[in-house]
Amino acid sequence: MKSAGAGGRPAGGPALDGAIAAQSATLAFGARRLWEALTFTVPRGEFLVVLGPNGAGKTSLLRVLLGLQRLTSGSVLIDGRPPRRGDPRIGYVAQYRAIDPDLPVLGRDLVGFGLDGHRWGGGLRSRASAARIEEALDLVGARSYADTPVGRLSGGEQQRLRIAQALVSGPGLLLCDEPLQSLDLHYQRVVVEQIADWNRRRGATVIFVTHDINPVLPAVNRVLLLARRRWALGAVDEVLTAETLSRLYDAPVDVLRHEGRLLIVGADLGAHEHETVLDAGDHA
């Protein structure tokens, strides 16, 4: 396991040939530092889960990878190059948002925006583009409601379409920001299975931000935990321990395991946190 306190660094630097390589990356807004000296490599094909309390900078990390947010210091490379806006190598699944039921957009059109949403105006799609949309719909099992207005679909169905939209361009890196939020247990399992299947079959890299590790336990390779400017990186059983969490949070934390699930119990772990140190969302 690699870990660091505020301002600390793990031994060694990252390999620069990974899907993502961060070197001494620090992000601050004025006097407020979200994380600092963040140094790690994500190998191609890894499923990395990002956890942390509200305001720890999880969404901000995704924004850096998307080229939407500059680091305060340090560097991040994606396939050896700096992040840039609109990178076709990257797919993005945003946090769940309810869609206006009267929005006149069909399911397949929403998916198609992943190919041509950056263009002005309408127009007929090419045969190749139409085929890629159908393939993406099949990947997430959404063909049966592809011609239904998206606002009239359930939250789980809408989220499947958002995943298809993120995958339709065939990205090598998929960034997921709380994709399970507001979904029931059935659809949480379905969404995780679809993303994990893409990860395995395509050898794609997945960065998955979530507030609950349990739904993604079968898929995760490693965990990056961000907390109070500190961070820890490693396998689930290395990072999500009472010792590591108590050190990162400067507070007693217990980790209970029951029937393949984790319950993390701590004291004074921030707003929106009661029994778990993992938050309900991050908009830093």
Side-chain angles (χ1 to χ4, degrees):
M1 177 182 69
K2 290 184 179 181
S3 63
R9 297 184 185 180
L16 298 180
D17 58 351
I20 299 172
Q23 179 68 53
S24 299
T26 297
L27 183 63
F29 296 95
R32 180 184 174 223
R33 293 201 167 202
L34 297 183
W35 28 265
E36 57 188 4
L38 188 57
T39 299
F40 66 92
T41 298
V42 180
R44 292 180 181 88
E46 181 169 78
F47 195 119
L48 177 72
V49 167
V50 181
L51 303 170
N54 196 39
K58 303 184 301 297
T59 291
S60 293
L61 177 60
L62 297 189
R63 287 178 55 80
V64 168
L65 297 175
L66 289 167
L68 302 176
Q69 177 66 55
R70 281 188 167 188
L71 291 172
T72 304
S73 63
S75 66
V76 171
L77 300 177
I78 298 175
D79 284 335
R81 290 178 286 180
R84 59 185 176 89
R85 290 173 180 253
D87 191 334
R89 301 171 298 169
I90 302 176
Y92 176 62
V93 183
Q95 294 185 15
Y96 173 76
R97 297 285 189 275
I99 297 176
D100 186 336
D102 296 322
L103 184 69
V105 173
L106 303 182
R108 72 176 65 253
D109 294 328
L110 185 69
V111 175
F113 292 159
L115 289 176
D116 54 26
H118 61 287
R119 300 175 189 165
W120 288 98
L124 294 175
R125 292 189 171 104
S126 68
R127 187 172 299 178
S129 293
R132 293 176 74 173
I133 292 169
E134 297 305 311
E135 179 185 9
L137 287 166
D138 287 338
L139 280 172
V140 301
R143 181 76 74 94
S144 62
Y145 46 84
D147 294 311
T148 302
V150 291
R152 298 180 186 177
L153 298 173
S154 70
E157 290 168 337
Q158 291 177 8
Q159 200 67 335
R160 285 201 201 193
L161 291 171
R162 290 187 176 98
I163 294 169
Q165 182 189 77
L167 299 181
V168 70
S169 64
L173 172 61
L174 183 64
L175 306 179
C176 304
D177 190 5
E178 296 277 8
L180 308 182
Q181 194 174 29
S182 302
L183 300 183
D184 62 28
L185 292 177
H186 167 72
Y187 274 116
Q188 286 183 7
R189 184 170 61 252
V190 167
V191 165
V192 170
E193 288 173 352
Q194 289 166 346
I195 294 174
D197 183 61
W198 175 265
N199 167 246
R200 288 189 302 267
R201 292 196 299 113
R202 303 296 178 98
T205 308
V206 175
I207 310 296
F208 195 104
V209 170
T210 182
H211 69 276
D212 184 3
I213 187 68
N214 288 298
V216 293
L217 276 175
V220 61
N221 297 125
R222 290 190 300 165
V223 172
L224 172 62
L225 177 62
L226 304 174
R228 300 191 179 190
R229 296 192 297 170
R230 299 181 175 93
W231 56 274
L233 173 68
V236 172
D237 289 340
E238 293 177 324
V239 174
L240 300 185
T241 66
E243 179 183 3
T244 299
L245 291 168
S246 296
R247 175 173 53 82
L248 290 179
Y249 283 91
D250 283 331
V253 178
D254 291 323
V255 179
L256 308 177
R257 287 170 168 80
H258 178 66
E259 296 183 352
R261 295 179 63 84
L262 296 176
L263 178 64
I264 301 171
V265 184
D268 190 23
L269 297 174
H272 312 299
E273 297 160 5
H274 303 286
E275 290 186 328
T276 174
V277 301
L278 308 181
D279 70 289
D282 175 26
H283 304 283

